[in-house]
Amino acid sequence: MSATQKFSIASIPADGVGKEVVAAGRRVLDALAENSSGKFAFDWTEFPWGSEYYAKTGQMMDPKGLDALKDFDAIYFGAVGWENVPDHISLWGLRLNITQNFDQWANIRPVKFLPGVQSPLRKADNTELDWVVVRENSEGEYAGLGGRNLSGRGPGNEVALQTALFTDKGCERIMRFAFDLARTRTVKKVSSVTKSNAQQYGMVLWDEVFNRVAKDYPDVQTESVLVDAMSAKFILKPEDLSVVVASNLNADILSDLGSALAGSLGLAASANLNPERRFPSMFEPVHGSAPDIAGQGISNPIGAIASAALMLDHFGLHEEARRVEAAIETATGSGHLTRDVGGDATTEDVTEAIIKALTLAPAAV
């Protein structure tokens, strides 16, 4: 019998519903491991960082937190943000602190249309839709460059500068990642999102690098679409999409649009990847901390559980990742839906339905 493969995972539930959905995802992964006949196991370490930690310490995470995280196989993250901390402090103090310092430069956000979930997009009723947004996750509009100055001149005279950073290296590596991903899909196509008609420096560089990289992938279809036109395409011609690659801000917005079209932000999964594996990658649902429903047990755990499936893929457990995804579809298809997608199921109900579907489904031999 082969030895059990053990994966060490840092769990950071953080704020609001993040605590509920991370707990749900952990239960699903542990159920999967328990039924693996000893093939693999997960070793969890939970960190208490977030807005409650900030209230006690004045910091979103331990100053030595990155050192504590760097040797884990992966990070499983919930959501960040609460009324006691300004959003830019909570985000930069925890989530972006991790993604930036661990060079998690590739962010993937699949857009999944699940059975039983009604999409506001009428085309989804009779058209097979499935695409993934690839987000440049290390620079662009979220590089954190800029500042606020001249406040000494008095009210109304302060100046704020927010500088977007586009590097040849940063553009090329995310585009090659997108092309490599496209080669694994049924429809081999990459759509680049740009705004080079108005942003004549950074986005022109983005376009030039895309055209250069595309020459190395003659088997992959390409197109370059302005971001405003792409937002319309998400609604009017989504069947024409396979892999959409965009800058940090553009991909952030478009991926949320895609998830809303699929039915809810509560369904949306993501992976923040350091493809070279110099640092651990981080997996998290796209939704926020949702203070209005936190603690009520009605949050949608699917985004977090689907993010756990992306983590399984990162570990090389591809068959197990497909089983989790199939279990999600079984649960939604049988009517286990939280209120954000038109149902009345609790977080516990949906989690139990997914675990039941997962344990009843035969594992690959």
Side-chain angles (χ1 to χ4, degrees):
M1 180 180 294
S2 59
T4 300
Q5 193 174 14
K6 294 184 178 180
F7 299 98
S8 63
I9 306 175
S11 170
I12 308 176
D15 301 328
V17 298
K19 300 174 183 178
E20 302 164 40
V21 300
V22 164
R26 286 180 59 168
R27 286 182 57 203
V28 170
L29 287 181
D30 286 340
L32 188 70
E34 288 170 9
N35 288 274
S36 71
S37 299
K39 178 182 176 182
F40 57 89
F42 302 110
D43 181 17
W44 299 94
T45 301
E46 184 164 308
F47 293 89
W49 304 327
S51 296
E52 290 182 8
Y53 187 86
Y54 182 91
K56 297 175 182 177
T57 68
Q59 297 175 317
M60 288 297 295
M61 65 184 294
D62 190 291
K64 297 181 180 178
L66 294 174
D67 285 335
L69 294 174
K70 64 182 177 61
D71 292 325
F72 282 90
D73 294 316
I75 302 166
Y76 193 38
F77 192 85
V80 66
W82 207 250
E83 60 183 8
N84 65 310
V85 188
D87 287 342
H88 66 284
I89 291 178
S90 61
L91 187 64
W92 277 97
L94 185 54
R95 184 191 172 278
L96 287 177
N97 193 21
I98 295 171
T99 59
Q100 292 276 356
N101 283 289
F102 284 170
D103 199 21
Q104 295 169 350
W105 53 266
N107 176 256
I108 57 173
R109 296 186 173 187
V111 178
K112 295 284 188 179
F113 291 78
L114 297 173
V117 177
Q118 184 174 6
S119 165
L121 193 64
R122 286 184 297 176
K123 188 169 284 189
D125 294 339
N126 51 29
T127 307
E128 190 71 25
L129 300 175
D130 177 23
W131 72 92
V132 59
V133 176
V134 173
R135 172 185 178 185
E136 199 293 312
N137 209 35
S138 66
E139 50 183 53
E141 303 86 350
Y142 294 178
L145 302 178
R148 296 175 61 173
N149 297 279
L150 306 183
S151 60
R153 291 184 176 180
N157 290 298
E158 188 174 7
V159 175
L161 299 176
Q162 192 76 45
T163 302
L165 173 70
F166 291 88
T167 68
D168 194 295
K169 174 183 177 180
C171 294
E172 178 168 346
R173 66 182 183 178
I174 197 63
M175 289 167 182
R176 290 194 181 278
F177 183 94
F179 275 98
D180 289 337
L181 177 61
R183 278 181 166 171
T184 70
R185 295 173 58 84
T186 302
V187 177
K188 296 173 173 52
K189 179 180 180 181
V190 176
S191 302
S192 171
V193 178
T194 184
K195 193 58 180 172
S196 52
N197 59 339
Q199 295 179 307
Q200 73 272 43
Y201 304 121
M203 290 266 79
V204 169
L205 174 63
W206 176 276
D207 290 350
E208 291 172 354
V209 175
F210 181 74
N211 292 332
R212 185 181 77 222
V213 171
K215 294 177 182 178
D216 293 336
Y217 297 84
D219 53 317
V220 179
Q221 302 176 60
T222 63
E223 64 176 352
S224 182
V225 183
L226 294 175
V227 63
D228 37 359
M230 182 59 81
S231 63
K233 188 168 188 173
F234 265 44
I235 298 169
L236 300 176
K237 296 189 70 177
E239 70 277 10
D240 197 36
L241 303 171
S242 181
V243 174
V244 177
V245 63
S247 68
N248 218 329
L249 175 63
N250 289 339
D252 192 7
I253 296 170
L254 287 172
S255 61
D256 280 5
L257 173 60
S259 300
L261 293 174
S264 170
L265 284 182
L267 304 172
S270 78
N272 303 285
L273 302 174
N274 174 247
E276 302 88 355
R277 299 179 186 256
R278 294 183 298 115
F279 301 102
S281 295
M282 184 164 69
F283 302 83
E284 60 173 330
V286 170
H287 61 70
S289 57
D292 58 323
I293 62 169
Q296 299 179 36
I298 59 175
S299 58
N300 193 334
I302 289 179
I305 295 170
S307 298
L310 294 175
M311 183 162 57
L312 292 170
D313 271 325
H314 184 68
F315 291 155
L317 300 174
H318 304 299
E319 173 62 29
E320 289 77 6
R322 303 292 80 75
R323 288 181 60 206
V324 170
E325 291 171 349
I328 291 172
E329 294 188 5
T330 297
T332 60
S334 61
H336 292 86
L337 305 172
T338 46
R339 74 175 193 177
D340 61 307
V341 285
D344 57 7
T346 65
T347 308
E348 172 75 10
D349 293 335
V350 175
T351 305
E352 284 294 332
I354 292 172
I355 291 174
K356 181 179 178 181
L358 187 65
T359 54
L360 292 179
V365 178

